[in-house]
Amino acid sequence: MTTEPLRRRLAPAVALLLLAPWTAECSWGGFTLTGMPFVVLVLAPMYGGAALLIRETARRLGLGWPGIVLLAAAFGVVQAGLVDQSLFNPGFLDDTQFADTRSVAEATLVPGLGFSARQAVDYVGNHVALTICASIALVESYLGTGRRSRPWLGHPGLVVTALLWLGGSLLVFADDGGRKGFLAAPLQLAIATGLALALVTAALLRRRYAGRPHADAGPPAAPHPVWPALVVLVAYVGAGIVPGWPGVGLAAALAALTAVLLTRWSRRPGWGQRQVLAAGSSSVLVVAAFAYEVPTYSPAGPAAALAGDVAISVIVLLLVGGAWWRLSGRAARDRRRAAAPAGHPASPPA
């Protein structure tokens, strides 16, 4: 375990704990500026706790980003299928300004199981892209290479985080505004549980193969960061532009293509945190741009809505821009060290 001071180790953990609920619920325009702090604090145990547990598990077991994505999908299934059960509740959004999406969701109902394939793609996909991957990629990009790749928490910290996530999830499950008095059928709960366990198992199996060399580990070099960003952007936007079952099929195809491309590119020499940040932040930049067209859950005046949207733009640009600035500064220092004569460091360690 690292010998870093406790405060230094906890700082990124706390940052992830607070950022995950913001990227999950606020970055796309779901709440006004005055409502954001309350949302972050209330949902930090559930969303932030899950993001931190997933990140720590992946880093401890060497699961890599494919493992993080699979665990994020498992969290999405647990959240939407077992905690607030929005996946199985056709009236979950009826008391919000998104009530008109019910007819769209019902166009892709899965016979006999009572859930919308469209909503499954949206709910689970957004948890993967926004709640987990974007928040982890952003926080890790502010750190040096060593701190980025190793665990931040010891065993007591993991226990506390697990209890936070469990307590936050139970709070949402029990609250009238969380589960909204709805309880899914036993078969539905069993399916959600089985799917989540299958995704967790698939993620843990990554440990067996993560360290093995790959046949395509040589040239060509990893692509410029703009390409992973573009791939994620196209997949994220394209997943929602076609209605009905064709749209669900398109979303699945785009997700599979994105997974294949990013996995293959990540095996090439030169793949690093710049590409990870580009892919991870792309979805947040997209939803922040569209936030001006998205209503809040509860009605808000034009001034309050605009203030919230502008705040989202500023926060996202500062987060992403700051992460790129940190990565660029570290890369410049590394180049100076490499060019300096032996025994004469170009700059002090970061």
Side-chain angles (χ1 to χ4, degrees):
M1 190 66 190
T2 178
T3 57
E4 285 182 327
L6 180 63
R7 183 177 62 180
R8 183 174 171 84
R9 286 190 283 117
L10 287 183
V14 173
L16 182 56
L17 198 69
L18 297 177
L19 182 59
W22 191 87
T23 54
E25 295 290 352
C26 302
S27 63
W28 52 271
F31 294 91
T32 61
L33 179 58
T34 55
M36 290 180 193
F38 177 77
V39 171
V40 169
L41 291 177
V42 170
L43 297 182
M46 181 175 64
Y47 286 146
L52 192 51
L53 281 177
I54 288 171
R55 190 265 170 199
E56 292 296 291
T57 299
R59 296 300 177 234
R60 285 174 175 272
L61 300 182
L63 306 182
W65 274 99
I68 290 177
V69 170
L70 288 168
L71 291 175
F75 164 70
V77 173
V78 169
Q79 174 60 32
L82 301 178
V83 179
D84 64 27
Q85 301 186 13
S86 55
L87 183 61
F88 303 115
N89 183 0
F92 186 78
L93 296 175
D94 284 356
D95 59 345
T96 72
Q97 295 203 95
F98 297 92
D100 58 346
T101 62
R102 181 169 182 169
S103 59
V104 177
E106 290 176 343
T108 58
L109 284 176
V110 178
L113 299 181
F115 73 90
S116 164
R118 176 75 265 171
Q119 286 185 329
V121 168
D122 293 342
Y123 292 166
V124 177
N126 279 321
H127 278 309
V128 171
L130 299 176
T131 309
I132 307 300
C133 291
S135 59
I136 293 176
L138 281 166
V139 173
E140 288 189 342
S141 294
Y142 280 85
L143 306 177
T145 303
R147 298 177 69 203
R148 190 185 303 145
S149 58
R150 63 174 175 250
W152 301 329
L153 302 177
H155 290 100
L158 287 174
V159 171
V160 171
T161 304
L163 291 176
L164 275 176
W165 171 69
L166 182 60
S169 299
L170 290 175
L171 180 65
V172 171
F173 177 84
D175 186 70
D176 289 339
R179 189 166 44 88
K180 300 187 177 181
F182 176 86
L183 187 62
L187 176 61
Q188 294 172 324
L189 297 175
I191 290 173
T193 302
L195 180 56
L197 290 175
L199 288 166
V200 171
T201 301
L204 295 178
L205 289 176
R206 283 282 308 166
R207 188 177 188 181
R208 179 181 301 177
Y209 304 104
R212 295 186 179 181
H214 302 284
D216 59 346
H224 189 278
V226 71
W227 290 107
L230 185 61
V231 165
V232 173
L233 185 150
V234 170
Y236 193 85
V237 175
I241 60 176
V242 179
W245 284 105
V248 173
L250 177 61
L254 288 171
L257 178 61
T258 300
V260 169
L261 286 175
L262 294 182
T263 301
R264 289 181 63 86
W265 286 343
S266 68
R267 297 169 178 172
R268 296 180 179 181
W271 179 273
Q273 192 63 24
R274 293 170 70 244
Q275 286 84 355
V276 171
L277 176 60
S281 62
S282 183
S283 57
V284 180
L285 290 168
V286 170
V287 296
F290 281 102
Y292 294 87
E293 302 295 327
V294 176
T296 54
Y297 280 114
S298 300
L306 180 60
D309 295 337
V310 171
I312 290 169
S313 297
V314 172
I315 292 171
V316 168
L317 289 176
L318 287 175
L319 283 171
V320 177
W324 278 106
W325 177 77
R326 292 280 291 185
L327 288 177
S328 298
R330 292 184 184 279
R333 286 195 294 271
D334 291 342
R335 287 193 296 268
R336 288 196 297 269
R337 291 196 193 109
H344 298 279
S347 60

Coordinates of all heavy atoms in Angstrom, one line a residue, residues 18 22 34 59 63 69 72-73 91 97 129 135 168 204 236 254 261 268 277 288 300 322 332 342 350:
L18 N -17.9 13.3 -5.2 CA -18.7 14.5 -5.5 C -19.0 14.7 -7.0 O -20.0 15.2 -7.4 CB -18.1 15.7 -4.9 CG -18.0 15.7 -3.4 CD1 -17.3 17.0 -2.9 CD2 -19.3 15.6 -2.7
W22 N -22.7 14.7 -10.0 CA -22.9 15.9 -10.8 C -22.9 15.5 -12.3 O -23.8 15.9 -13.0 CB -21.8 16.9 -10.6 CG -22.1 18.2 -11.2 CD1 -22.8 19.2 -10.7 CD2 -21.7 18.6 -12.5 NE1 -22.9 20.2 -11.6 CE2 -22.3 19.9 -12.7 CE3 -21.0 18.0 -13.5 CZ2 -22.1 20.6 -13.9 CZ3 -20.8 18.7 -14.7 CH2 -21.4 20.0 -14.9
T34 N -29.3 26.4 -8.5 CA -29.5 26.3 -7.0 C -29.8 24.9 -6.5 O -29.6 24.6 -5.3 CB -30.7 27.2 -6.6 OG1 -31.9 26.9 -7.4 CG2 -30.3 28.7 -6.9
R59 N -8.6 -1.0 -10.2 CA -7.2 -0.7 -10.0 C -6.5 -1.7 -9.2 O -5.4 -2.1 -9.4 CB -7.0 0.7 -9.4 CG -7.5 1.9 -10.3 CD -6.8 1.9 -11.6 NE -7.3 2.9 -12.5 CZ -7.7 2.7 -13.8 NH1 -7.7 1.4 -14.2 NH2 -8.1 3.7 -14.5
L63 N -8.1 -4.7 -13.7 CA -9.2 -5.0 -14.7 C -9.1 -4.1 -15.9 O -9.7 -4.4 -16.9 CB -10.5 -4.9 -14.0 CG -10.8 -5.7 -12.8 CD1 -12.2 -5.5 -12.3 CD2 -10.5 -7.2 -13.0
V69 N -15.9 -0.5 -17.5 CA -17.1 -0.4 -18.3 C -18.1 -1.5 -17.9 O -19.3 -1.2 -17.7 CB -16.8 -0.4 -19.8 CG1 -18.0 -0.5 -20.6 CG2 -16.0 0.8 -20.2
A72 N -19.5 -0.7 -14.5 CA -20.4 0.4 -14.7 C -21.7 0.0 -15.2 O -22.8 0.4 -14.8 CB -19.8 1.5 -15.6
A73 N -21.7 -0.9 -16.2 CA -23.0 -1.5 -16.7 C -23.7 -2.2 -15.6 O -25.0 -2.1 -15.5 CB -22.7 -2.4 -17.9
G91 N -44.5 4.6 -15.3 CA -44.9 5.9 -14.9 C -43.8 6.7 -14.1 O -44.1 7.6 -13.4
Q97 N -41.2 16.8 -16.2 CA -41.3 17.4 -17.5 C -40.9 16.4 -18.6 O -40.9 16.8 -19.8 CB -40.6 18.7 -17.6 CG -41.1 19.8 -16.7 CD -40.7 21.2 -17.2 OE1 -41.5 21.9 -17.8 NE2 -39.5 21.6 -16.8
A129 N -21.5 5.9 -19.3 CA -20.8 7.0 -19.9 C -20.6 8.2 -18.9 O -19.5 8.7 -18.8 CB -21.5 7.5 -21.2
S135 N -16.5 10.5 -14.9 CA -16.0 11.0 -13.6 C -14.6 10.4 -13.3 O -13.7 11.2 -12.8 CB -17.0 10.7 -12.5 OG -17.3 9.3 -12.4
G168 N -26.8 4.9 0.7 CA -27.4 5.8 -0.3 C -28.4 5.1 -1.2 O -29.5 5.6 -1.5
L204 N -14.7 -9.4 -13.7 CA -13.7 -10.0 -12.9 C -12.8 -11.0 -13.7 O -11.7 -11.2 -13.4 CB -14.3 -10.8 -11.7 CG -15.0 -9.8 -10.7 CD1 -15.6 -10.7 -9.6 CD2 -14.0 -8.8 -10.1
Y236 N -22.5 8.1 -28.9 CA -23.4 8.7 -27.9 C -24.6 9.4 -28.6 O -25.8 9.2 -28.2 CB -22.7 9.6 -27.0 CG -23.5 10.0 -25.7 CD1 -23.4 9.2 -24.6 CD2 -24.2 11.1 -25.7 CE1 -24.2 9.5 -23.5 CE2 -24.9 11.5 -24.5 CZ -24.9 10.6 -23.4 OH -25.6 10.9 -22.3
L254 N -23.6 0.6 -32.4 CA -22.6 1.6 -32.1 C -21.8 1.4 -30.8 O -20.6 1.6 -30.8 CB -23.3 3.0 -32.0 CG -23.8 3.5 -33.3 CD1 -24.7 4.8 -33.0 CD2 -22.7 3.9 -34.3
L261 N -13.2 -0.7 -31.2 CA -12.2 0.3 -31.6 C -11.4 0.7 -30.4 O -10.1 0.8 -30.5 CB -12.9 1.5 -32.3 CG -13.4 1.2 -33.7 CD1 -14.2 2.5 -34.2 CD2 -12.3 0.9 -34.7
R268 N -2.2 -0.4 -28.6 CA -1.2 0.1 -29.4 C -0.2 1.0 -28.6 O -0.6 1.6 -27.6 CB -1.7 1.0 -30.6 CG -2.6 0.2 -31.6 CD -3.1 1.1 -32.7 NE -3.9 0.3 -33.7 CZ -4.4 0.9 -34.7 NH1 -4.3 2.2 -35.0 NH2 -5.1 0.1 -35.6
L277 N -8.8 10.5 -21.5 CA -9.6 11.7 -21.2 C -10.4 12.1 -22.4 O -11.6 12.5 -22.2 CB -8.6 12.8 -20.9 CG -9.2 14.2 -20.6 CD1 -10.2 14.1 -19.4 CD2 -8.2 15.2 -20.3
A288 N -23.6 18.5 -22.1 CA -23.5 19.9 -21.7 C -23.9 20.9 -22.8 O -24.6 21.9 -22.6 CB -22.1 20.3 -21.2
A300 N -39.0 25.3 -14.3 CA -38.2 26.4 -13.8 C -38.4 27.6 -14.8 O -38.6 27.4 -16.0 CB -36.7 26.0 -13.8
G322 N -9.1 22.0 -17.5 CA -8.1 21.8 -16.4 C -7.4 20.5 -16.5 O -6.2 20.4 -16.3
A332 N 5.1 18.0 -20.7 CA 6.2 18.9 -21.0 C 7.3 18.7 -20.0 O 8.5 18.7 -20.3 CB 5.7 20.3 -20.9
A342 N 22.3 13.5 -17.7 CA 22.2 12.7 -16.5 C 22.7 13.4 -15.2 O 23.7 14.1 -15.3 CB 23.0 11.4 -16.7
A350 N 7.1 16.4 -9.8 CA 5.7 16.9 -9.5 C 5.1 16.3 -8.3 O 5.4 15.1 -8.0 CB 4.8 16.6 -10.8

